[in-house]
Amino acid sequence: MAGEQPRADARRNVQKLVDAAREAVAEVGVGVTAHEIARRAGVGIGTFYRRLPSREALLTVVLADTFDELVAVARAALEMSDPWDGFTVFAESFARLRATSCGLRDVLADSPLDVDIDTRIAELRALTEQVVGRAQRAGSLRTDVAWQDIAFLLAATMTGADSMGLRLPPDQWRLSLRVILDGLRAPTA
């Protein structure tokens, strides 16, 4: 019956799978299997494949969900009374989400995406520019740094799994972000 909404239990199972996939990608990485995601969601592998055509389809939903969360955080940051606080909330969310979903975009690069990621990215770029511009106009964020630079600086909080033979601690992004934010703060702020 075309056009019918999935049953409530079917929607719940899909949400469980999305939540489990986000958690698994954060802990295990993008190589997590459909079996592991189903196990974490508390559903069978048959339920997984009845609700989703593939692991890549689920990871696409997770990627879209991640961008949607970032867009929502950027909008909320623009509503905060203090532009620096708004910027730092956005920056922390960006760094955290990048750290917990790093590699999703790369693993899906060769897969046809059923969701419009490009529109989400364009919206996120526009909002990032607004969040940065607002903090700069308030005098709290250095004005010699372009909003595009901010995207790269925030992405730099999450590097490869090791450096100079040292293993990357899971929360290294937090320290990196603190140092980056200290460097971005306007000297007079």
Side-chain angles (χ1 to χ4, degrees):
M1 298 180 192
E4 272 190 29
Q5 288 287 342
R7 293 185 341 241
D9 64 328
R11 288 191 306 272
R12 277 191 304 274
N13 283 339
V14 169
Q15 189 57 54
K16 283 182 190 176
L17 288 164
V18 170
D19 294 344
R22 281 187 82 161
E23 177 186 298
V25 167
E27 290 177 22
V28 179
V30 294
V32 66
T33 65
H35 287 280
E36 175 63 13
I37 294 168
R39 184 191 67 74
R40 287 173 181 244
V43 301
I45 194 68
T47 298
F48 180 104
Y49 285 112
R50 271 192 304 281
R51 301 292 161 234
L52 298 152
S54 66
R55 180 186 76 99
E56 288 73 21
L58 176 58
L59 294 179
T60 299
V61 172
V62 170
L63 181 63
D65 193 48
T66 301
F67 275 111
D68 291 345
E69 184 176 340
L70 277 171
V71 164
V73 168
R75 285 188 181 134
L78 289 170
E79 298 298 320
M80 294 180 75
S81 59
D82 184 300
W84 177 255
D85 289 345
F87 173 73
T88 58
V89 164
F90 171 74
E92 182 173 343
S93 293
F94 185 98
R96 176 182 51 81
L97 288 169
R98 182 165 172 84
T100 59
S101 64
C102 199
L104 272 178
R105 179 87 191 227
D106 294 337
V107 81
L108 296 170
D110 296 329
S111 301
L113 302 179
D114 291 337
V115 295
D116 187 1
I117 297 298
D118 292 335
T119 298
R120 285 172 167 90
I121 291 172
E123 184 176 13
L124 182 59
R125 284 180 182 165
L127 288 166
T128 301
E129 184 176 10
Q130 291 173 40
V131 169
V132 169
R134 183 172 177 254
Q136 288 174 326
R137 286 188 300 280
S140 54
L141 179 64
R142 292 170 51 163
T143 57
D144 62 336
V145 179
W147 73 267
Q148 297 95 329
D149 298 327
I150 300 296
F152 289 110
L153 289 168
L154 295 178
T157 62
M158 188 62 196
T159 60
D162 61 55
S163 178
M164 297 190 303
L166 302 170
R167 294 286 307 150
L168 181 72
D171 61 346
Q172 177 63 45
W173 67 269
R174 290 181 191 279
L175 172 61
S176 299
L177 178 63
R178 261 197 335 265
V179 171
I180 288 169
L181 289 175
D182 285 348
L184 288 172
R185 185 91 179 187
T188 58

